[in-house]
Amino acid sequence: MDVKQLAEQVIAGNRRALARAITLVESVRDDHRAQAIELMEEVGKSGRQALRLGLSGTPGVGKSTFIESFGMMLIRQGLKVAVLAVDPSSSRSGGSILGDKTRMELLSREKNAFIRPSPSQSELGGVARRTREAVALCEAAGYDLILIETVGVGQSETVVSEMSDLFLLLLAPAGGDELQGVKRGIMEMADLILVNKADGDLKPAAQRTCADYAGALRLIRKRPQDPKDFPKAMTVSAIEEKGLLEAWGEMNTLADWRRENGFFDKRRSEQAEYWFAQDIRHGLLSQLEKEPLKSMIAGLARKVSKGEITPGHAAADVLRALKDA
Amino acid sequence: MDVKQLAEQVIAGNRRALARAITLVESVRDDHRAQAIELMEEVGKSGRQALRLGLSGTPGVGKSTFIESFGMMLIRQGLKVAVLAVDPSSSRSGGSILGDKTRMELLSREKNAFIRPSPSQSELGGVARRTREAVALCEAAGYDLILIETVGVGQSETVVSEMSDLFLLLLAPAGGDELQGVKRGIMEMADLILVNKADGDLKPAAQRTCADYAGALRLIRKRPQDPKDFPKAMTVSAIEEKGLLEAWGEMNTLADWRRENGFFDKRRSEQAEYWFAQDIRHGLLSQLEKEPLKSMIAGLARKVSKGEITPGHAAADVLRALKDA
């Protein structure tokens, strides 16, 4: 494959080239990885900058409906929208692609929308790196807004936050007046909390939940990257398409302020450093999955388990073999 | 140093040799690590098996008082007791040793007690490996019971659980009838929950808290390594030395059952495999802390941060340098 040519086609906005490029960065083959590195260098020259929007929400909060409504609104404004996902549990054969198409039926038919399911890998580190590169590819391809969604499972929010300019937390109205067990760490990551389903019977509950979270946000330590009144909580109704324009307005207010005050570029720089460290880590540990080391480790593990060799001795043997390989 | 001789002295019960041996396994020097590996092989030949008891409890639950009372009770029964700690935040210069001596004043004066503070390292992985080896050294030195304590911070409970035969959770009486935000993962690790401070005014609250946790434990999936009625919750008073003998009885019941049914050895085998995997991981990642790689990474991180090179490209450069080193 001619990587330079592929990069040019991606930058020219060719959808099939973009899909092929993402498939390349998703590959675990060593030769593909070398090509992917070259590809990322090439597309980096486009100089384009999209707004990268992380979106977290547990199943049931109406995430797909939100993305569909919000995405369609942006498309009608003439914007190009890409939707990516970080879901370490997804499996392509399990119908993730089909799922994404039916989940966002209108959006998936738009020529200015690009929807790509999560890479099918059980290991979050692998999913993360590939999605991060897919984000940069979509950006180079001229998408104005890149939505990166995740279900709130384990570390996946951190991973999505580390590839987003803004991080949105989507919630459903709560029954009582209690916070929905959202972890403090997630609250501290959020730039905007959107309480969905502010329609029909649930509207009062949505407003109450929104007030609760607005209160909780005020208790969180002030962050330098926030202007006055941010982070903030709002209600939306994805089904009735209400509050979406207001939410989009707030996102732009925040993004513009950060751009003007240097925090936008600063965050991207820090994220690049974060991914550099993660890539090294991931590359180092992935050596252990390859033969002949994998078999050597399995054999030593049996001996360790039987007490024939200490864990420390066996580990030293593996590390020596790695060095000599 | 003659490692074989040191191992013999440790096995002979020489306290100074034991302290020196622990200092050796705590060292981060490469030559010391090689000696430590040999030492661990040698002491493994003692064939002794202690009861390794993990103990977790946040500050304020009376952990030191419990260890002091419980330890003294065992000493009076003629047992030898070692107390180790996993505390990634501890700093030796900060007075951790002094702290441990004053925290357990009576126990620290007993010739059949051996108290060693947490190794002073900020990185949990390093603390964990060293403490795990210190546990095996105390076992070879003839201690009957090894208490490994930790404050409930982040991953430290998992680490302690992975070096313990039994895992105890020490709690204080709660104000209301609510569980004290103990994470589900910790609950699932616990073999015995001890609600401390069942004395004076707090006695009714302690009993209520104990009942709450007993109820919560019943909701947890049955584990194959448990006989009937385990895991279980009990009240104790460390200050009034009440319930300690009963708790010790339950620990022995559980440990004996597991020994007879093969779960005791099975757990140790699995733990050895766990530490083998951790040691490899730790050894691999520690390469990044050494020169000249450390400086190379710092230099590349600056370039990545400025956008002069992609994270993936920079990481590939580091991995190549590691291979060629």
Side-chain angles (χ1 to χ4, degrees):
Chain A
M1 185 188 317
D2 185 334
V3 170
K4 268 201 165 60
Q5 212 178 322
L6 182 61
E8 279 166 22
Q9 291 171 348
V10 167
I11 294 172
N14 180 326
R15 289 173 69 103
R16 281 183 55 197
L18 175 59
R20 257 183 81 206
I22 295 180
T23 302
L24 178 65
V25 301
E26 285 178 358
S27 170
V28 292
R29 270 175 49 182
D30 283 344
D31 55 333
H32 285 170
R33 185 91 289 263
Q35 291 180 323
I37 287 170
E38 196 191 333
L39 176 69
M40 296 314 298
E41 297 265 315
E42 287 299 321
V43 300
K45 295 174 187 165
S46 82
R48 286 178 180 146
Q49 193 177 72
L51 184 62
R52 303 172 177 181
L53 220 57
L55 176 69
S56 171
T58 45
V61 301
K63 198 149 33 88
S64 311
T65 318
F66 174 81
I67 295 173
E68 171 100 335
S69 296
F70 185 65
M72 286 304 292
M73 182 191 76
L74 300 175
I75 296 275
R76 284 192 298 268
Q77 292 190 7
L79 297 173
K80 290 183 73 179
V81 178
V83 181
L84 304 170
V86 169
D87 176 7
S89 65
S90 93
S91 135
R92 190 154 302 182
S93 60
S96 187
I97 287 181
L98 233 177
D100 281 342
K101 298 283 184 198
T102 50
R103 268 189 326 127
M104 301 164 214
E105 211 178 334
L106 295 173
L107 202 59
S108 63
R109 281 192 239 129
E110 290 290 330
K111 73 171 187 350
N112 281 336
F114 181 85
I115 301 178
R116 178 91 178 189
S118 179
S120 58
Q121 281 226 317
S122 54
E123 203 256 304
L124 181 60
V127 172
R129 187 183 70 195
R130 288 163 183 86
T131 308
R132 183 246 313 177
E133 290 179 342
V135 167
L137 287 169
C138 290
E139 189 165 44
Y143 288 86
D144 302 292
L145 190 101
I146 300 161
L147 259 164
I148 311 135
E149 62 157 326
T150 187
V151 290
V153 176
Q155 290 295 301
S156 65
E157 272 117 344
T158 305
V159 154
V160 168
S161 160
E162 287 290 353
M163 56 180 89
S164 308
D165 301 315
L166 303 183
F167 190 73
L168 314 185
L169 183 57
L170 196 69
L171 296 171
D177 56 352
E178 261 187 69
L179 305 187
Q180 296 158 63
V182 174
K183 291 186 213 102
R184 191 182 166 81
I186 311 288
M187 287 281 288
E188 284 173 351
M189 263 178 225
D191 293 308
L192 204 58
I193 290 182
L194 299 175
V195 182
N196 192 21
K197 304 191 182 179
D199 43 52
D201 285 356
L202 286 173
K203 199 166 178 181
Q207 285 166 338
R208 214 167 43 230
T209 301
C210 180
D212 288 344
Y213 277 94
L217 284 176
R218 276 191 292 273
L219 296 179
I220 287 181
R221 171 179 58 85
K222 182 88 187 131
R223 307 177 304 181
Q225 70 269 33
D226 292 326
K228 202 172 161 294
D229 296 333
F230 280 93
K232 87 172 37 170
M234 316 174 57
T235 57
V236 294
S237 164
I239 283 187
E240 296 187 351
E241 299 179 26
K242 280 184 186 153
L244 301 179
L245 201 59
E246 290 77 4
W248 176 232
E250 297 290 356
M251 293 175 212
N252 279 308
T253 300
L254 180 56
D256 287 345
W257 188 89
R258 287 195 182 157
R259 277 195 199 93
E260 282 158 24
N261 292 276
F263 290 108
F264 198 93
D265 290 342
K266 185 165 176 277
R267 180 158 173 158
R268 288 217 175 175
S269 289
E270 287 166 356
Q271 288 173 343
E273 283 193 61
Y274 172 87
W275 290 112
F276 169 49
Q278 289 294 324
D279 276 8
I280 296 174
R281 224 184 138 82
H282 189 266
L284 266 180
L285 297 175
S286 70
Q287 297 175 75
L288 307 175
E289 310 292 325
K290 287 177 194 153
E291 295 297 355
L293 215 63
K294 197 177 166 184
S295 297
M296 177 192 182
I297 291 172
L300 281 168
R302 275 191 297 275
K303 285 190 173 185
V304 165
S305 153
K306 288 181 198 154
E308 294 168 10
I309 183 171
T310 64
H313 191 153
D317 286 353
V318 171
L319 294 170
R320 204 172 310 113
L322 255 173
K323 222 172 195 93
D324 297 344
Chain B
M1 186 190 313
D2 185 335
V3 170
K4 269 202 164 59
Q5 213 176 323
L6 182 61
E8 277 166 24
Q9 291 171 347
V10 167
I11 294 172
N14 179 325
R15 289 173 68 102
R16 279 182 55 196
L18 176 59
R20 256 183 80 207
I22 295 179
T23 303
L24 179 65
V25 301
E26 286 178 357
S27 170
V28 292
R29 270 175 49 183
D30 284 344
D31 56 334
H32 286 169
R33 183 92 291 262
Q35 290 181 322
I37 288 171
E38 197 191 332
L39 175 69
M40 296 314 298
E41 297 264 314
E42 287 299 321
V43 299
K45 295 174 187 166
S46 83
R48 285 180 180 146
Q49 192 177 73
L51 184 62
R52 304 172 177 180
L53 220 56
L55 176 69
S56 171
T58 44
V61 301
K63 198 148 35 89
S64 310
T65 318
F66 174 81
I67 295 173
E68 171 100 335
S69 296
F70 185 65
M72 287 304 291
M73 181 190 78
L74 300 175
I75 296 274
R76 284 192 298 267
Q77 292 190 5
L79 298 173
K80 290 184 71 179
V81 177
V83 181
L84 303 170
V86 169
D87 176 7
S89 65
S90 92
S91 138
R92 189 153 303 182
S93 59
S96 186
I97 288 181
L98 233 177
D100 281 342
K101 298 283 183 199
T102 50
R103 269 192 321 128
M104 301 164 212
E105 212 179 332
L106 295 173
L107 202 58
S108 63
R109 281 192 238 130
E110 290 291 330
K111 73 170 187 352
N112 282 335
F114 180 85
I115 300 178
R116 178 91 177 189
S118 179
S120 58
Q121 279 225 318
S122 55
E123 203 255 305
L124 181 59
V127 173
R129 187 182 72 195
R130 288 163 183 87
T131 308
R132 184 245 314 175
E133 291 180 342
V135 168
L137 288 168
C138 290
E139 188 164 46
Y143 288 87
D144 302 292
L145 190 100
I146 300 161
L147 258 164
I148 311 133
E149 62 157 325
T150 187
V151 289
V153 176
Q155 291 293 302
S156 65
E157 272 117 345
T158 305
V159 154
V160 168
S161 159
E162 288 290 352
M163 57 179 88
S164 308
D165 301 316
L166 303 183
F167 190 73
L168 314 184
L169 182 58
L170 196 70
L171 296 170
D177 56 353
E178 261 188 70
L179 306 187
Q180 296 157 61
V182 174
K183 290 188 213 99
R184 192 183 165 82
I186 312 288
M187 289 280 287
E188 284 172 352
M189 262 177 225
D191 293 309
L192 204 58
I193 289 181
L194 300 175
V195 182
N196 191 21
K197 304 190 183 180
D199 42 52
D201 285 355
L202 286 172
K203 199 166 178 179
Q207 285 166 338
R208 214 167 42 229
T209 301
C210 180
D212 288 342
Y213 276 96
L217 284 175
R218 276 191 293 273
L219 296 179
I220 286 181
R221 172 178 57 85
K222 181 89 186 130
R223 306 178 304 180
Q225 70 270 32
D226 291 327
K228 199 170 161 296
D229 295 334
F230 280 93
K232 95 173 27 170
M234 315 173 59
T235 57
V236 293
S237 164
I239 283 187
E240 297 187 349
E241 299 180 25
K242 279 184 185 152
L244 300 179
L245 201 60
E246 290 77 3
W248 177 233
E250 297 290 356
M251 292 175 213
N252 280 309
T253 301
L254 180 56
D256 288 346
W257 188 88
R258 287 195 183 156
R259 277 197 199 91
E260 282 159 23
N261 291 277
F263 290 108
F264 198 93
D265 289 342
K266 186 166 175 278
R267 180 158 172 158
R268 288 218 174 174
S269 290
E270 288 166 354
Q271 288 174 342
E273 284 193 63
Y274 172 88
W275 290 111
F276 169 48
Q278 290 293 113
D279 276 9
I280 296 175
R281 225 184 138 81
H282 189 265
L284 267 181
L285 296 175
S286 69
Q287 297 176 75
L288 306 175
E289 310 291 326
K290 288 178 192 150
E291 294 297 356
L293 216 63
K294 197 177 166 184
S295 297
M296 177 191 181
I297 290 172
L300 281 169
R302 275 191 296 274
K303 284 191 174 184
V304 164
S305 154
K306 288 182 197 154
E308 294 169 10
I309 183 171
T310 64
H313 190 154
D317 286 353
V318 171
L319 294 170
R320 205 173 308 114
L322 254 174
K323 226 177 189 87
D324 298 344

